[in-house]
Amino acid sequence: GTIGIIIGSTIFVELISRSGLFAWISVKILKVSRGDPFKLLICFSGLTVVFSAFLNNVTAMIIVGSLTIVACKKLKLSAMPFLLAEGIYTNIGGLLTLISSIPNIIVGTAAKIGYSQFLLVAGPYCIIAFVATLYLVRWLFKIKPLTNDTAKSEAKTMVDAFDEWETVKDRKFFYLSAMVLGGIILGFALHSYIPVLNKMGLEVIAIIGATLMLVIYPTDVEGVLNEVEWTLVLFFVGLFALLGVMDKANVLAMIGDWLQSPLSSGEFTGPIAMMWSSAFFSGLTDNIPLAAVLAKVLGGFQETLTNPSIPVLPWFAEYGHLLWWALIFGAGLGGNFTPIGSASTVVAIGILKKQGFAVTFMQYVKIGAIVVLVQLALATGYLFTANKV
């Protein structure tokens, strides 16, 4: 499914970008930010969270990443901090709703958490994490707002001089591309409610969008296919094959067995062990099989969950046990730890590589480790503070 989404999304994003739509949106965002780098970070980060909440993280990263590259080129800014920040923010947006990510769906279904219930619990944390991560990213990447009146005036003058229609060569192609993009976004957001499509994977919507764009713009099919990051596709083929072997060899199940003892260790240590260990392992492997394994562990652990020594959150009571939420937060946030822990981060680094920016594994870990520690500390405080309310 992930591979299909990457191929389909890359194709329709490439063709839509040729219509000038992304450049048009980028200039609009630039004008809102008035050329201020920090305001630009806020705009793109907010856009990433919204897209990640209603689309899948990979598609959101490809779309917002394309917008970012255009905007940074116009302002002559380095795209690296913005794209890495967006990769981090896809995982925050991925926590917002029950259908934002596959681990949410796996764990939420096993815990019998409803869509509105999930949003009510996860929503406040996402707002807290968004603001905290914004200032953390600003500090890590040294993105400073413009404070000098002269600099502000110059930036605004430069941005106002941009014409959003400059790159639009064909208005008909532009509006058709906008309609297809809107249809794709609605398709991802309403996937579970669309007859026939709801029985298929999300990759079908990406492939349909790519096919529609190839029909609208059939003049350079080979050139468009060459734009697909085939090395990225092969990376995921290898990664999923490796995870499949680990699953068949019961390595992931063994990890789950190791966690059974610490999970029952007490009202605080149990959920903390679940959150932090699931975050650590989801940073080293893919969080989808990990969430599936740990959801099974908790599902077979129901009798222990009724133990009065492990409390249920008072206002979370109808939404599920604290351990379930610890797993949701841990699996969702841990992907920021390494560049391979999240598919969207892999995509962000792939886009940067294409633009001539090289990000090594350890360079990212130095940033990701700090981000994950802060986000997990906030998540731990959020869940246990709510428990005392």
Side-chain angles (χ1 to χ4, degrees), residues 67-81:
L67 299 176
T68 305
I69 292 297
V70 175
C72 288
K73 282 182 177 179
K74 285 186 175 293
L75 286 180
K76 298 179 181 179
L77 295 171
S78 171
M80 183 183 291

Side-chain angles (χ1 to χ4, degrees), residues 172-217:
K172 181 180 179 182
F173 182 36
F174 174 86
Y175 290 119
L176 284 173
S177 297
M179 289 172 63
V180 171
L181 180 61
I184 290 169
I185 292 173
L186 286 175
F188 278 118
L190 304 175
H191 169 259
S192 58
Y193 303 102
I194 301 173
V196 181
L197 281 179
N198 59 6
K199 297 178 181 179
M200 304 178 187
L202 292 173
E203 68 276 7
V204 175
I205 296 172
I207 296 296
I208 289 173
T211 305
L212 285 173
M213 288 307 302
L214 284 170
V215 170
I216 294 171
Y217 188 87

Side-chain angles (χ1 to χ4, degrees), residues 95-97 117-127 325 329 382:
L95 271 179
L96 191 57
T97 71
Q117 296 169 338
F118 195 103
L119 181 62
L120 184 61
V121 176
Y125 171 78
C126 288
I127 295 172
W325 287 106
F329 279 90
Y382 174 72

Side-chain angles (χ1 to χ4, degrees), residues 335-353:
N336 286 327
F337 181 48
T338 69
I340 63 169
S342 167
S344 53
T345 305
V346 175
V347 171
I349 291 174
I351 295 173
L352 284 171
K353 184 179 179 182

Side-chain angles (χ1 to χ4, degrees), residues 263-285:
L263 291 184
S264 58
S265 59
E267 60 178 299
F268 295 109
T269 53
I272 289 175
M274 169 59 81
M275 182 185 294
W276 288 76
S277 60
S278 61
F280 176 75
F281 285 113
S282 67
L284 299 179
T285 65

Side-chain angles (χ1 to χ4, degrees), residues 228-247:
V228 176
E229 288 285 344
W230 296 110
T231 54
L232 188 65
V233 171
L234 290 173
F235 170 82
F236 280 112
V237 169
L239 177 62
F240 293 141
L242 177 61
L243 290 171
V245 171
M246 290 173 66
D247 189 25

